[in-house]
Amino acid sequence: MNQVEQSVAEYVDEVWEDVVADIEQLVSYPSVAVAADAEPGAPFGRPVRDALDCALGIAQKLGYQTSDDDGYVGIADIPGRGDKQLATICHVDVVPAGPGWNTDPFAMERREGWLLGRGVIDDKGPAVLSLYAGAYLLKHGIVPRYTFRALLGCDEEVGMSDVHHYLENHADPDFLFTPDAEFPVCNAEKGQFGATFVSPKIDGGRIVSWSGAEASNAIPSQSICELAIAADELPAPVENADRLEITALDNGHAQIFAHGIGGHASMPEGTINAVGLIVAYLREAEDAFGARDERLLTPAEHEFVKFLAFVHADAYGRGLGIDATSPAFGPLTCNAGLIRVADGHIEQVIDVRFPDSTSADTIREQLDPLVGRFGVTCRVGRAKVPFSVSADDPAVKALIDTYNEFTGKHAEPFAMGGGTYARNFARAVSFGPEETGLELPAWGGQMHGPNECANEEQLKQALKIYIVAILRLNELEL
């Protein structure tokens, strides 16, 4: 270990208990961004503003110069010798806690070398790491070549309007990385496409209510559907019987409760969409009713559930006819997580992450035949093109080299389906702190799902990597 790495390791050991305590404090805020709850200086609601103030307070304690962009983005600076700027950006907002937690999601627990709570890995834990990474400079009296700016966003999980506001009022950093993804370095992000499928008007329907994920970018771990029929009239599940519960409600209706395996919309491998479990059961139950020349659902409901079977056929858009892949970006993913019954219609939202071999316009055109066949309305939402920065960029090389030296690996930059702040900046990548293939404890879960957890040793290693990377980036001509 060289002298710099030795100094960094000693610093991390010295501050680690403070790091954990600050993560715990930041996790305590239920900071779900809600633009409808905007107040002056708090464009995404008071809980997010409180979390931002907490993070800025941590920065002030560490010695940063702090300010904020009208409550959209927090700014923590370590002035440099020149005019150029090196930046990181994390976010203090989180997806809703959602069901399935075994602990209070906003009271962080420390267990067996892991941190447990909403935001510990996405992205409050990394936000604290970014502040302590820059604070290494302050601790050792280092005036950096480039101003180091730690940005703290407030609307990453919803629309990233925070960085749009920031960039209208501030110059683009000369280079930025965001600790909001997996190591080694993500230099390319898939495009994004969102749409809502709306059923025709349903009169006198049997489906009273239906819930799924709390956010479109979350794969639902639970789904609940209430049917206006007695529970004892429904057949017992055949497929997925261990994941479905049918109970009688006090109003004489039946409730179907599906237990899936949640996760992030861009990483469906290993997950089970709970809404899809209910779709499959409804199709199964309808067949059982049909065998008795009876109907479970109204004709309009029947057709829409039949359509939903195509939506939920898999997590890669094959049922919808929109599947695509490319060598650089990998396969398209499609998550159908948000579902509800409203104003006599059933609405299903999809979140699509697509490679550079297709486009939002192509996806929209490919949806038309199936949508038309079932008389479904398709409301198109967001659309973002794929984004990439060259793997040969010297700054990208500095990051990947630092990661490889710490881990002994020979990793290369990669593309992913997740959307980070990086795509909004001219020269930016995402850089950890997650590790692919890290085995979670039995009681722990992934980001965006219940029981979100982060490994302390993993976070410690990431902090060391970030500090050395910042030192090396200051040696480059940005």
Side-chain angles (χ1 to χ4, degrees):
M1 183 180 293
N2 64 36
Q3 190 174 355
V4 171
E5 290 180 3
Q6 179 69 36
S7 170
V8 168
E10 290 172 357
Y11 168 79
V12 171
D13 286 342
E14 179 185 344
V15 301
W16 189 250
E17 291 305 313
D18 293 332
V19 170
V20 173
D22 286 338
I23 294 173
E24 180 178 13
Q25 183 186 8
L26 194 53
V27 166
S28 70
Y29 297 91
S31 50
V32 176
V34 182
D37 294 341
E39 301 176 10
F44 308 107
R46 179 50 49 187
V48 176
R49 178 71 228 199
D50 290 344
L52 178 60
D53 287 338
C54 172
L56 289 173
I58 294 167
Q60 290 166 5
K61 174 187 70 175
L62 293 172
Y64 285 83
Q65 297 177 9
T66 62
S67 58
D68 74 86
D69 180 46
D70 300 329
Y72 283 83
V73 175
I75 301 167
D77 284 337
I78 300 173
R81 298 191 302 270
D83 295 332
K84 291 189 176 182
Q85 186 185 95
L86 168 65
T88 60
I89 186 168
C90 296
H91 58 93
V92 300
D93 67 306
V94 293
V95 296
W101 284 80
N102 298 319
T103 63
D104 181 344
F106 299 109
M108 192 197 83
E109 288 196 14
R110 199 175 187 183
R111 186 188 302 179
E112 300 171 20
W114 295 75
L115 307 182
L116 178 63
R118 174 58 84 221
V120 290
I121 196 67
D122 184 28
D123 194 33
K124 292 180 175 181
V128 173
L129 295 186
S130 70
L131 294 174
Y132 275 86
Y136 174 88
L137 304 173
L138 296 167
K139 176 82 171 177
H140 291 82
I142 300 170
V143 178
R145 181 180 182 182
Y146 306 119
T147 291
F148 177 70
R149 172 165 287 187
L151 296 170
L152 300 156
C154 295
D155 180 37
E156 196 271 350
E157 297 291 7
V158 181
M160 299 194 192
S161 61
D162 50 355
V163 292
H164 300 155
H165 188 279
Y166 176 83
L167 289 170
E168 288 171 4
N169 299 287
H170 299 81
D172 231 310
D174 294 278
F175 182 72
L176 174 147
F177 68 82
T178 176
D180 188 20
E182 295 183 347
F183 280 130
V185 174
C186 175
N187 68 318
E189 297 181 8
K190 291 178 183 176
Q192 299 181 9
F193 174 87
T196 302
F197 299 125
V198 184
S199 74
K201 182 73 172 178
I202 297 170
D203 295 314
R206 280 273 176 81
I207 301 174
V208 178
S209 65
W210 198 343
S211 67
E214 299 279 341
S216 62
N217 59 0
I219 296 171
S221 61
Q222 296 182 5
S223 181
I224 300 173
C225 182
E226 180 181 341
L227 296 178
I229 188 173
D232 58 9
E233 292 186 47
L234 291 174
V238 177
E239 290 187 29
N240 306 305
D242 59 331
R243 293 192 170 274
L244 293 163
E245 299 172 25
I246 299 173
T247 56
L249 300 176
D250 292 342
N251 61 2
H253 291 177
Q255 176 182 276
I256 308 167
F257 195 119
H259 300 269
I261 299 174
H264 193 286
S266 68
M267 296 178 282
E269 188 174 351
T271 65
I272 298 176
N273 188 317
V275 175
L277 293 175
I278 290 182
V279 170
Y281 172 74
L282 290 176
R283 298 282 293 150
E284 187 181 288
E286 281 214 286
D287 288 343
F289 269 69
R292 306 195 302 258
D293 291 326
E294 299 177 34
R295 272 195 177 276
L296 170 60
L297 303 175
T298 67
E301 288 173 325
H302 170 85
E303 286 299 300
F304 193 69
V305 169
K306 191 174 177 182
F307 168 76
L308 289 180
F310 287 94
V311 177
H312 288 272
D314 66 9
Y316 301 96
R318 297 187 191 99
L320 287 168
I322 62 173
D323 53 307
T325 190
S326 79
F329 286 83
L332 174 150
T333 61
C334 179
N335 174 53
L338 282 172
I339 193 166
R340 67 171 188 160
V341 178
D343 302 321
H345 300 270
I346 304 173
E347 299 179 358
Q348 170 77 76
V349 177
I350 59 169
D351 178 311
V352 177
R353 313 297 172 101
F354 62 87
D356 56 355
S357 57
T358 187
S359 69
D361 289 340
T362 299
I363 292 168
R364 180 66 186 89
E365 291 171 4
Q366 290 171 327
L367 290 172
D368 283 342
L370 196 66
V371 165
R373 173 180 161 191
F374 287 95
V376 170
T377 300
C378 179
R379 297 200 304 254
V380 174
R382 64 177 181 176
K384 297 181 180 180
V385 298
F387 159 82
S388 65
V389 172
S390 173
D392 294 326
D393 185 303
V396 175
K397 283 183 173 293
L399 298 186
I400 197 80
D401 288 347
T402 302
Y403 172 80
N404 284 336
E405 286 175 25
F406 267 90
T407 61
K409 297 180 180 179
H410 301 282
E412 298 287 342
F414 68 96
M416 72 169 181
T420 72
Y421 281 131
R423 66 168 55 244
N424 296 282
F425 295 89
R427 188 183 178 198
V429 296
S430 53
F431 187 41
E434 297 164 64
E435 286 282 1
T436 306
L438 185 68
E439 187 175 344
L440 303 181
W443 43 263
Q446 301 175 344
M447 64 176 180
H448 287 209
N451 305 310
E452 177 182 346
C453 66
N455 181 273
E456 284 195 53
E457 286 304 315
Q458 172 194 2
L459 295 180
K460 261 189 176 181
Q461 174 94 317
L463 179 51
K464 295 173 187 176
I465 290 170
Y466 292 149
I467 295 168
V468 174
I470 289 168
L471 294 172
R472 288 182 172 175
L473 289 168
N474 272 281
E475 296 172 358
L476 299 178
E477 291 293 338
L478 290 184

